[in-house]
Amino acid sequence: MSEQSIEERLKSLQIELPTVSEPAAKYANCMIVNGLLFVSGKGPAGNPKGKLGIDYTTEDGYRFARLAGLEVLAVLKDTLGSLDRVKRAVKIQGFVNAGPDFEEHHKVLNGYSDLLFEVFGESKGNHARSVLGAVSLRNNLPVVVDSIFEVDATA
């Protein structure tokens, strides 16, 4: 029996990817170097504004990180033509716009990590990661993520 394609998995999970967002300044959405695809920082669709621990809860942050992850997946699909060309997630980094007493940055970034496991499975979705608290982020976004994937760059 053949393995389910990523497109089929997205449908079974009822996940729809957003339209690819344009970079917020003068840079590329992504770059491929030696089989690694580096995705620039992406925030959640809808451009919510505010800080975790002040304006939003940890649960809100989890949802925002997941939405930012969907933005990343949209860039991958647009760049590669198919998410099946992703060999594995390598590293994700999250930046959480948080109040000074907020301590659940790691729980926020789980929103993106969980998405990668759902979409790519355990072997391709497992990744290294870092999460940092930020005193501010562009446009006052609550979360921004950037990512590195190993991809089939030959197709």
Side-chain angles (χ1 to χ4, degrees):
M1 178 182 264
S2 65
E3 187 177 311
Q4 185 180 41
S5 76
I6 300 302
E7 298 299 325
E8 292 168 339
R9 187 170 302 145
L10 288 175
K11 284 181 185 172
S12 70
L13 293 169
Q14 299 180 353
I15 294 175
E16 289 188 36
L17 298 181
T19 302
V20 176
S21 60
E22 293 298 319
K26 195 171 184 175
Y27 57 88
N29 261 336
C30 64
M31 299 295 288
I32 299 174
V33 178
N34 296 325
L36 294 177
L37 191 149
F38 297 80
V39 182
S40 296
K42 290 290 177 186
N47 293 312
K49 297 181 182 299
K51 292 187 177 290
L52 277 288
I54 296 174
D55 304 304
Y56 296 112
T57 65
T58 300
E59 293 75 21
D60 293 328
Y62 178 97
R63 185 173 48 84
F64 292 142
R66 183 178 179 89
L67 289 171
L70 291 172
E71 294 283 330
V72 170
L73 295 180
V75 169
L76 290 173
K77 183 173 180 185
D78 183 66
T79 302
L80 300 171
S82 170
L83 292 176
D84 291 311
R85 290 183 54 201
V86 173
K87 291 182 177 181
R88 70 170 299 114
V90 175
K91 171 87 187 257
I92 65 172
Q93 184 166 282
F95 301 89
V96 178
N97 189 2
D101 297 325
F102 188 75
E103 296 181 350
E104 297 188 319
H105 306 75
H106 60 293
K107 292 181 181 179
V108 168
L109 197 55
N110 281 345
Y112 183 21
S113 291
D114 289 347
L115 175 68
L116 291 177
F117 279 94
E118 289 172 31
V119 171
F120 295 111
E122 180 82 23
S123 63
K124 290 184 178 183
N126 198 12
H127 53 274
R129 80 176 203 186
S130 304
V131 62
L132 304 166
V135 70
S136 68
L137 293 174
R138 68 175 166 83
N139 297 329
N140 200 27
L141 289 171
V143 177
V144 171
V145 298
D146 65 25
S147 315
I148 303 169
F149 294 87
E150 181 184 11
V151 299
D152 176 0
T154 60

